[in-house]
Amino acid sequence: MAKEFSFEEIKKYNDKKCTWIVINNDVYDVTPFLDQHPGGEEVLLEQAGKDATEAFEDVGHSSDAREKMKSFKVGTLVASERKPEQPKKSAVDWKETGESSDSSLKSWVIPIALGLVATLIYRLYFMS
Ligand code: HEM
């Protein structure tokens, strides 16, 4: 079974001597990879000791990169700190998320605005 780590522990490995990052709930020791990373060591050091899932997925790493990262895996996050796996980003996902949050906002704002307008009209009517 893979060894489990918590962020309490992972955040200690946040410098050049020891660089750990978390991607999709798995913990990677990328120290030996720092000077080989095609994206440079800076970006890895910036994420050191943290959850780098979003940064990693934003770059759209190749399947080669995903294959390579397996060799740096040292364990997984403890169950209580795991996040639901992020779906790989695509234009369609973005569009769908945008639309659903948009319409859920409208479903609140419109009835409330209508209620306020109705109350105003009612009060004006009976106060005049
Ligand atoms: C174990 C983890 C990682 C591995 C094995 C890895 C590997 C690679 C590889 C092989 C490439 C070349 C392009 C490709 O094949 O996709 C690449 C590019 C890149 N990586 Fe990573 N990477 C890792 C983590 C990260 C993280 C956490 C970031 C955070 C920002 C990052 C940022 C980048 C950037 C910006 C490039 C683009 C370089 C360019 O196109 O000029 N990588 N990485």
Side-chain angles (χ1 to χ4, degrees):
M1 211 179 95
K3 201 164 166 4
E4 293 193 344
F5 301 96
S6 67
F7 274 113
E8 191 61 38
E9 229 170 320
I10 296 162
K11 71 180 182 198
K12 292 184 210 153
Y13 305 107
N14 64 356
D15 57 24
K16 251 180 141 165
K17 276 183 280 164
C18 233
T19 318
W20 285 20
I21 53 176
V22 176
I23 297 172
N24 284 325
N25 302 323
D26 287 329
V27 184
Y28 299 90
D29 177 358
V30 292
T31 323
F33 185 59
L34 284 179
D35 54 2
Q36 294 165 32
H37 182 222
E41 62 172 26
E42 287 304 315
V43 286
L44 294 180
L45 287 169
E46 231 169 72
Q47 303 297 327
K50 295 193 283 197
D51 189 333
T53 308
E54 219 180 301
F56 180 83
E57 297 297 351
D58 275 353
V59 172
H61 279 88
S62 65
S63 46
D64 252 18
R66 287 167 199 276
E67 198 55 43
K68 193 160 182 42
M69 69 196 261
K70 285 185 195 160
S71 59
F72 302 113
K73 185 169 163 181
V74 288
T76 59
L77 266 187
V78 288
S80 60
E81 292 184 7
R82 278 179 215 159
K83 291 187 188 151
E85 292 256 333
Q86 296 209 340
K88 291 199 187 107
K89 281 181 182 164
S90 74
V92 178
D93 285 346
W94 275 110
K95 197 161 166 264
E96 276 171 8
T97 329
E99 271 172 13
S100 64
S101 63
D102 207 7
S103 60
S104 69
L105 185 72
K106 273 182 206 149
S107 66
W108 279 98
V109 170
I110 292 174
I112 290 172
L114 283 177
L116 282 173
V117 170
T119 312
L120 270 174
I121 291 173
Y122 180 82
R123 293 192 68 178
L124 282 173
Y125 182 76
F126 281 102
M127 282 164 87
S128 57

